[in-house]
């Protein structure tokens, strides 16, 4: 049994062995799930800096003070570890950017909120190396497999979210008519460029993002 699965000893009351066995099993599963989440989140941080290709079970075990066999038991293969890192990065991104913005009115207001949340996400940054997606999409765009599929799905969902808010703004008469899919592509491109600029010390990149997005959200006359 690895250190990820070990539980403190407990006393067993007479006649309670079945219940205790079930409870112990549940606790072990819970501890395993928590360990897996913690490792996947750290993997996302490492991948934002070194890329998903730079991940290794041994590296993560050393970083977190765990045994290599314990980490391997939880993930099995490097590909599964990479996919778990993508899933963790996606959840963290949703928590930091998408879910807070969803509390605002749809359309232009929400797109501005998404932009501001994204700026905070990149400026802080949420991941050690900056934007997780900007760091890894270029590396896997021509490499078919589960990792590419997971990265691609997130990117398509992000573009669809931007396009959806633009469409809402156009339909509500908040902004001038525009090609929502093209504009979503352009906004995403500007955000990706801004991430690189911020990593290189160009703090004016934030103002450029606001200027570009604001230009698309010009009220209809």
């Amino acid at each position: 049994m690895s250190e990820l699965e070990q539980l403190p000893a407990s006393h067993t009351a007479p006649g309670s062995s079945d219940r205790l066995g079930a409870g112990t099993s549940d606790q072990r599963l819970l501890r395993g799930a928590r360990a897996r989440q913690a490792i996947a989140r750290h993997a996302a941080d490492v991948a934002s800096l070194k890329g998903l290709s730079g991940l290794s079970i041994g590296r993560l075990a050393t970083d977190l003070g765990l045994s290599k066999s314990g980490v391997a038991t939880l993930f099995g293969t490097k590909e599964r570890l990479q996919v778990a890192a993508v899933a963790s990065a996606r959840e963290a991104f949703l928590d930091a950017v998408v879910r807070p913005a969803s509390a605002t009115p749809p359309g232009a207001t929400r797109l501005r909120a998404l932009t501001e949340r994204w700026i905070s996400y990149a400026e802080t940054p949420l991941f050690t190396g900056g934007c997780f997606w900007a760091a890894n999409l270029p590396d896997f765009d021509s490499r078919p497999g589960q990792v590419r599929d997971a990265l691609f799905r997130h990117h398509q969902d992000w573009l669809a979210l931007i396009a959806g808010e633009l469409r809402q703004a156009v339909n509500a008469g908040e902004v001038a008519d525009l090609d929502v899919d093209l504009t979503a592509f352009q906004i995403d491109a500007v955000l990706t460029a801004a991430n690189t600029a911020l990593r290189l010390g160009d703090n004016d990149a934030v103002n450029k993002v606001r200027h570009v997005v604001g230009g698309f959200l010009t009220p209809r006359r």
Side-chain angles (χ1 to χ4, degrees):
M1 181 182 293
S2 74
E3 73 272 29
L4 300 177
E5 299 174 312
Q6 288 174 355
L7 296 172
S10 60
H11 295 288
T12 303
S16 66
S17 59
D18 289 343
R19 293 194 302 274
L20 180 58
T24 301
S25 178
D26 289 344
Q27 287 297 313
R28 184 178 293 113
L29 289 172
L30 180 60
R31 288 167 66 95
R34 288 174 175 170
R36 195 175 190 280
Q37 290 172 357
I39 295 168
R41 184 61 181 84
H42 181 65
D45 269 330
V46 173
S48 72
L49 191 62
K50 302 291 186 181
L52 285 164
S53 296
L55 286 182
S56 73
I57 289 174
R59 159 73 186 272
L60 296 179
T62 299
D63 287 352
L64 298 173
L66 302 171
S67 69
K68 185 175 179 179
S69 62
V71 177
T73 297
L74 289 172
F75 295 97
T77 67
K78 180 175 180 176
E79 183 179 55
R80 289 178 182 173
L81 172 62
Q82 291 170 324
V83 171
V86 175
S88 181
R90 175 183 173 84
E91 192 64 24
F93 181 84
L94 292 176
D95 281 343
V97 179
V98 177
R99 291 181 179 122
S102 68
T104 62
T109 300
R110 186 171 295 170
L111 186 55
R112 289 191 180 94
L114 283 168
T115 301
E116 290 303 316
R117 297 299 305 190
W118 188 95
I119 287 171
S120 296
Y121 152 83
E123 271 188 321
T124 304
L126 180 62
F127 300 106
T128 304
C131 179
F132 176 90
W133 316 102
N136 289 287
L137 274 165
D139 191 28
F140 281 85
D141 58 2
S142 300
R143 298 167 61 180
Q146 293 184 33
V147 179
R148 178 187 181 277
D149 291 347
L151 290 166
F152 178 75
R153 280 194 300 270
H154 172 84
H155 189 233
Q156 289 302 106
D157 288 347
W158 174 239
L159 288 173
L161 177 61
I162 296 173
E165 299 306 332
L166 287 167
R167 188 172 292 107
Q168 181 79 18
V170 170
N171 292 341
E174 295 179 300
V175 301
D177 193 19
L178 46 74
D179 184 327
V180 296
D181 290 326
L182 174 61
T183 305
F185 177 88
Q186 292 171 315
I187 290 174
D188 178 62
V190 168
L191 295 177
T192 300
N195 174 73
T196 301
L198 286 169
R199 303 283 75 74
L200 295 174
D202 180 7
N203 294 324
D204 193 46
V206 169
N207 292 327
K208 294 172 184 174
V209 168
R210 293 188 176 119
H211 179 75
V212 170
V213 174
F216 288 126
L217 299 180
T218 303
R220 180 180 292 175
R221 296 180 179 179

